[in-house]
Amino acid sequence: MPFEKILTAIQNHATERDVTGDWPAADLEMLAESGAMRWALPHPFGSNLPPMELHGRYEAIAAASLAVALILTQRDSAVALIEQSEEFPRRQELLKKLSDNQIWATIGIAQLTTSRQGGLPSLRATPDGDGYSIDGLIPWSTGAGKSDYIVAGATLPDRKQILFCLPTNLPGVLIHPPLEMVALRATWTTQVHCRHVKLDRSHILRGPIDRVLSGRKKNLPLGQAFLALGLCDGALRLIGEHKSDAADRARTAFVEELERLRSRVAFLCSPAGAKEVDTAAADTRADVNDLAIRSTHAAVALYKGTALLNDHPAQRLAREAMFLLVWSCPGPVIDCTLDRLMEC
């Protein structure tokens, strides 16, 4: 099936899946049949798409369904961490199975990045023989209940960290039911408890070192922004379907702003923009999130009372925009976002 037809099919079910919370198995299968599970993989396993092309496809999927786009990007993030771990004994085996869509993987690294920082580690590793015992909580893992493996990170007593590939069927791995979120219920995002989970060294991707994620290859510095741009696209499409002068004015203004932001993101992800990205990334993400909030809420205003119903696409889009305010948002992005929310 052509990619555009797949996107239309995904879009047609997006709001229904948001209401029911059903895992989008059919959507993911269509994407797999189109080769999507190979996009992020290098040769000889996959397509080895250039980063900008890969993220452009994520953006297109996000315009149809942010939930499906999030599921795929979390899977591909796990794929990238496995691929970059050249000393991982099962690297070749798992990459082949992932490329053939025989297994599913996701990540659970928020406890090492933006969640619960400053306190005691939420996921702990204790040396145990020739491996480790894992205890504690993975606070955020998308699709964990549908995954065969979770790429996760834990902290040792000396504060060093390990990155590992956790089989979800190991004794002591408890995957909770999906969290009762206000949006993106179809992603089956949840928490995972580990209780004396025994890992031998064949599961270790990296470490122990001080910051286990610091040496990973970066795909694009503003990867999250592409999904936000896609959400804006979805909102503008819905606004365009409202036949009124007010909708025409809103869409014209938002389209111009969206194209300007899309150009800025593309520049900062290019070699020419590399020198500016460290200082401009937080502002740019906040600007894209701000447009997502305004454009989705404009759709709610245009569709009036019907947009307060859970099964209306404008309602889904407005709630999904809130997700962008908390997804992988370090302090500088939060600060820039608050600045925009406080503007008169």
Side-chain angles (χ1 to χ4, degrees), residues 290 336 338-344:
D290 182 61
C336 292
L338 289 175
D339 289 341
R340 282 149 186 76
L341 291 172
M342 292 185 291
E343 288 176 357
C344 297

Side-chain angles (χ1 to χ4, degrees), residues 11 70 111 138 140 165 210 214 291 333:
Q11 178 190 335
L70 178 64
Q111 65 275 8
I138 300 172
W140 178 277
C165 193
D210 287 336
S214 61
L291 177 59
V333 176

